Amino acid sequence: MKKFLIGTIITLMILAGLGYGLYIFGTNTASEKIVDDYTANLEDSGQMNEVRTMIESDPELLAMMEEAKAADPSTLPFTTKGEATRVLVNKLGVSKLKNLQTKAQSGEASKEEILQVLQENLTEEEMLALQKIAYEEIYNQ
């Protein structure tokens, strides 16, 4: 009985480790693919130039991108799209993120509303890390 219990505990620990590894790997892979596909679609359709123009014509967005450009990656809480995805899912939840995406795409949510939701749920360092990732994607850095 004692050996069975120890074996069961060890098996559960191994399965938990594998599950966590798959979660990390899966999140990284999925987020990289989604962002890369979305970026490629924007580039192919010419909308990425519109995004750049919109940023450059909005002083607030331009200031955010300049801040992101100057940010030191070694001081940021995360630097990859996978890590950013995990933080957003953990802090906002999938349904809230999906809702924000839907509202943003349909034009129902303003830039200020989206920024407010993010600022309410993320730290300043996490916001800067997201800005850095966005900057790198938009300007192909």
Side-chain angles (χ1 to χ4, degrees):
M1 182 69 172
K2 188 175 182 180
K3 286 183 182 183
F4 176 74
L5 184 60
I6 291 172
T8 302
I9 291 172
I10 290 173
T11 302
L12 289 175
M13 289 174 61
I14 290 171
L15 289 175
L18 287 172
Y20 181 73
L22 287 173
Y23 168 74
I24 298 296
F25 178 75
T27 304
N28 285 342
T29 304
S31 62
E32 294 284 335
K33 178 147 179 50
I34 290 168
V35 171
D36 290 344
D37 288 350
Y38 189 71
T39 302
N41 287 340
L42 286 175
E43 287 288 352
D44 293 344
S45 68
Q47 290 179 325
M48 187 61 87
N49 289 331
E50 291 176 30
V51 170
R52 290 183 190 117
T53 302
M54 183 182 73
I55 289 170
E56 291 162 4
S57 66
D58 185 326
E60 185 180 2
L61 289 176
L62 186 59
M64 289 174 73
M65 288 296 108
E66 290 299 321
E67 182 183 12
K69 181 180 179 182
D72 179 11
S74 66
T75 64
L76 300 175
F78 52 85
T79 56
T80 67
K81 294 174 263 186
E83 294 169 330
T85 302
R86 275 194 301 282
V87 168
L88 288 171
V89 167
N90 287 335
K91 295 231 176 171
L92 292 169
V94 174
S95 61
K96 196 169 192 177
L97 283 172
K98 192 72 172 156
N99 188 29
L100 274 176
Q101 177 192 18
T102 303
K103 284 183 174 181
Q105 286 179 332
S106 67
E108 294 175 34
S110 68
K111 169 188 73 173
E112 289 79 16
E113 290 172 307
I114 294 170
L115 284 174
Q116 180 182 358
V117 170
L118 292 174
Q119 288 169 342
E120 287 172 355
N121 292 283
L122 302 173
T123 66
E124 286 184 38
E125 293 81 16
E126 291 167 338
M127 284 292 294
L128 184 57
L130 283 178
Q131 289 169 252
K132 182 76 170 176
I133 292 169
Y135 174 81
E136 291 170 351
E137 286 299 314
I138 293 169
Y139 293 101
N140 298 319
Q141 298 289 317

